[in-house]
């Protein structure tokens, strides 16, 4: 249940539809391997999966020196991909702060040879690039802090933990730092609330409401103190979902860099996912895991650039689209997105002609989004004794303009209406 009424502050996020998730931390140095062995887990979980003692894991900080990190290049990549916001791991479950922190020396400025604050550089580059900067903060799990959750190999005495002390001495002070050191923050992305109490979730929400009332909060804060819902990782809702929601998703399997994870999706799959997620009403938060030297792996860069080329041409069918409509049958040719007055048919499986069942509105104009001079012929038929649904024949051009997805725009009159199936 959502316990916040503010709506207007969601406007930028509803318009955005596509964001860049960045998982970056000490785990990138391990790159999925520990003591010469690959660890079977996502890269950022290596400390827990290999039960690496805090004192050993901490040594990574002494070697973490991302000299090739260039905030502008990261922001430029997000812009090239057509993304409108960046959510970066300020602190993941390993407890290491990737920002300047006065309340814990376990941070990138004080504990690494790098000595710079990449979040400050990103804030500056995001401001210049027109991208909203947002922070991920692991509020419940912190494997470095004896009183937080998650580390049962260094700190096995669960009963002796004082989680409120961790909140008081580390988590809330760090949240204050994140909310005061980098200018306006678009949203805070909390994660894995676990057994957090309602009062504790309230505190994590309140610090944001107090310091940056316009900053959004995702649902993983726990106990309903959110502005929008995060779905499960890579879990696309099966149907149109009329809520403010976002899906965190990967390009390969891992979130944090893992050198042996080559399970890349291809650009076509990513574009189809973007369209499908937007059509169901969601935002797509797509992840990259930079290396420890500050570079983003080439396959990630290439994929985001390819997606961006498509978005650049077809952005009108992405940004600001709203949930639905839901057609009551499978669309063999592709998928739909929608804004009032315009229905966008994304043709993934090209064909000379097909029938769109169910659209009740009169279509006044039909054309290709990539080229509004290319007229698309549509012939509409109302329901009759043998056809329980409206039918519209759509005749596509001979040559398929885009091998991945060609968008047909249908401008229609009135309130969008689609026939339902009837028994
Ligand atoms: O445990 C994390 C995981 O490492 C990653 O950060 C994802 C991203 O949504 N969130 C948690 C698992 O759901």
């Amino acid at each position: 249940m959502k316990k916040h009424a503010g709506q207007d502050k969601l406007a930028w996020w509803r318009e955005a539809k596509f964001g860049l998730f960045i998982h970056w931390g000490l785990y990138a140095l391990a790159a999925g391997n520990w003591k010469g062995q690959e660890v079977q887990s996502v890269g950022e979980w290596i400390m827990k999966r290999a039960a690496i003692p805090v004192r050993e894991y901490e040594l990574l900080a002494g070697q973490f020196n991302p000299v090739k990190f260039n905030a502008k290049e990261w922001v430029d990549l997000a812009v090239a991909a057509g993304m409108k916001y960046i959510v970066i791991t300020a602190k993941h479950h390993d407890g290491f702060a990737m920002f300047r922190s006065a309340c814990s020396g376990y941070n990138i400025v004080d504990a690494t040879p790098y000595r710079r604050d990449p979040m400050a550089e990103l804030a500056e580059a995001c401001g210049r690039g027109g991208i909203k900067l947002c922070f991920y903060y692991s509020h419940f799990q912190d494997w470095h802090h004896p009183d937080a959750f998650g580390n049962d190999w260094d700190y096995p005495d669960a009963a002796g933990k004082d989680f409120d002390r961790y909140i008081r001495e580390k988590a809330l002070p760090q949240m204050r730092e994140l909310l005061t050191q980098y200018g306006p923050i678009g949203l805070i992305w909390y994660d894995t609330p676990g057994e957090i109490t309602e009062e504790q979730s309230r505190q994590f929400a309140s610090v944001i409401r107090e310091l940056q009332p316009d900053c959004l909060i995702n649902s993983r804060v726990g106990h309903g103190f959110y502005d929008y819902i995060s779905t499960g990782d890579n879990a696309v809702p099966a149907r149109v979902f009329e809520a403010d929601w976002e899906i965190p998703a990967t390009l390969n399997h891992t979130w944090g860099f893992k050198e042996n994870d080559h399970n890349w999706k291809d650009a076509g799959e990513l574009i189809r996912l973007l369209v499908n997620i937007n059509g169901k009403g969601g935002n797509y938060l797509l992840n990259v895991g930079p290396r420890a030297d500050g570079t983003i792996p080439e396959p990630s860069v290439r994929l985001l650039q390819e997606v961006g080329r498509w978005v650049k041409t077809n952005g009108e069918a992405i940004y600001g689209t709203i949930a639905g409509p839901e057609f009551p049958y499978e669309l063999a040719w592709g998928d739909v997105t929608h804004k009032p007055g315009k229905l966008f048919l994304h043709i993934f499986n090209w064909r000379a002609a097909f029938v769109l069942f169910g659209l009740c509105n009169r279509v006044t104009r039909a054309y290709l989004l990539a080229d509004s001079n290319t007229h698309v012929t549509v012939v509409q038929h109302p329901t009759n004794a043998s056809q329980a649904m409206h039918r519209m024949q759509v005749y596509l051009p001979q040559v398929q303009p885009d091998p991945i997805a060609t968008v047909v725009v249908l401008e229609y009159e009135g309130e969008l209406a689609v026939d339902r199936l009837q028994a």
Side-chain angles (χ1 to χ4, degrees), residues 12-249:
W12 72 265
W13 180 90
R14 287 183 180 142
E15 175 69 24
K17 305 311 286 185
F18 195 22
L20 180 65
F21 214 173
I22 304 178
H23 277 66
W24 196 40
L26 296 182
Y27 40 81
L29 206 50
N33 309 305
W34 196 251
K35 300 197 169 154
Q37 295 282 314
E38 179 168 356
V39 178
Q40 293 306 319
S41 78
V42 283
E44 72 284 2
W45 271 71
I46 195 164
M47 180 178 175
K48 172 126 177 161
R49 292 289 176 246
I52 303 170
V54 162
R55 296 296 160 237
E56 259 184 68
Y57 190 86
E58 277 178 338
L59 297 176
L60 291 173
Q63 304 160 48
F64 193 79
N65 195 12
V67 289
K68 294 188 180 159
F69 169 68
N70 180 325
K72 181 173 181 308
E73 277 174 22
W74 288 17
V75 171
D76 286 350
L77 179 61
V79 170
M83 294 158 155
K84 302 293 184 185
Y85 57 111
I86 288 178
V87 183
I88 183 163
T89 48
K91 186 199 82 169
H92 202 266
H93 308 331
D94 66 357
F96 187 74
M98 293 293 285
F99 58 99
R100 181 186 299 278
S101 178
C103 53
S104 160
Y106 197 45
N107 73 75
I108 189 165
V109 179
D110 293 317
T112 76
Y114 191 56
R115 305 202 69 78
R116 278 164 42 193
D117 182 350
M119 301 303 157
E121 294 174 34
L122 267 178
E124 153 104 30
C126 282
R128 288 183 194 280
I131 291 280
K132 291 255 186 201
L133 178 65
C134 313
F135 291 131
Y136 171 110
Y137 190 87
S138 175
H139 60 322
F140 180 72
Q141 297 198 64
D142 186 313
W143 304 331
H144 189 259
H145 198 288
D147 287 315
F149 283 84
N151 183 340
D152 51 12
W153 57 101
D154 285 289
Y155 315 120
D157 176 17
K161 282 180 191 288
D162 181 353
F163 187 64
D164 283 319
R165 180 164 56 204
Y166 151 75
I167 293 184
R168 206 169 48 243
E169 292 180 359
K170 181 172 182 183
L172 282 183
Q174 286 199 329
M175 285 307 304
R176 288 187 169 271
E177 290 173 339
L178 290 171
L179 293 162
T180 53
Q181 290 176 177
Y182 306 102
I185 300 305
L187 62 91
I188 295 291
W189 217 96
Y190 288 123
D191 204 2
T192 63
E195 294 88 50
I196 202 166
T197 67
E198 180 164 353
E199 178 48 31
Q200 289 158 351
S201 290
R202 186 195 311 279
Q203 291 180 49
F204 281 109
S206 298
V207 67
I208 300 171
R209 304 283 183 240
E210 176 204 330
L211 294 171
Q212 290 212 25
D214 287 337
C215 176
L216 305 176
I217 305 175
N218 76 328
S219 57
R220 294 194 192 177
V221 63
H223 298 282
F225 295 100
Y226 65 85
D227 295 302
Y228 75 86
I229 295 166
S230 295
T231 68
D233 299 346
N234 289 304
V236 182
R239 301 187 55 172
V240 171
F241 182 20
E242 301 257 5
D244 291 306
W245 63 273
E246 172 192 71
I247 176 174

Side-chain angles (χ1 to χ4, degrees), residues 333 347-352 368 396-402 406:
W333 42 266
I347 319 292
F348 303 148
N349 304 314
W350 194 257
R351 55 206 55 207
L368 297 187
L396 296 174
Q398 295 279 314
V399 184
Q400 177 181 8
D402 187 316
T406 302

Side-chain angles (χ1 to χ4, degrees), residues 339-359:
K339 323 183 142 146
K342 285 184 183 173
L343 197 60
F344 302 101
L345 311 183
H346 299 253
I347 319 292
F348 303 148
N349 304 314
W350 194 257
R351 55 206 55 207
F354 64 91
V355 180
L356 177 71
F357 287 99
L359 179 65

Side-chain angles (χ1 to χ4, degrees), residues 275 310 317-318 333-337 344-348 405-408:
V275 170
W310 182 87
I318 296 296
W333 42 266
D335 219 332
V336 290
T337 57
F344 302 101
L345 311 183
H346 299 253
I347 319 292
F348 303 148
T406 302
V407 182
V408 173

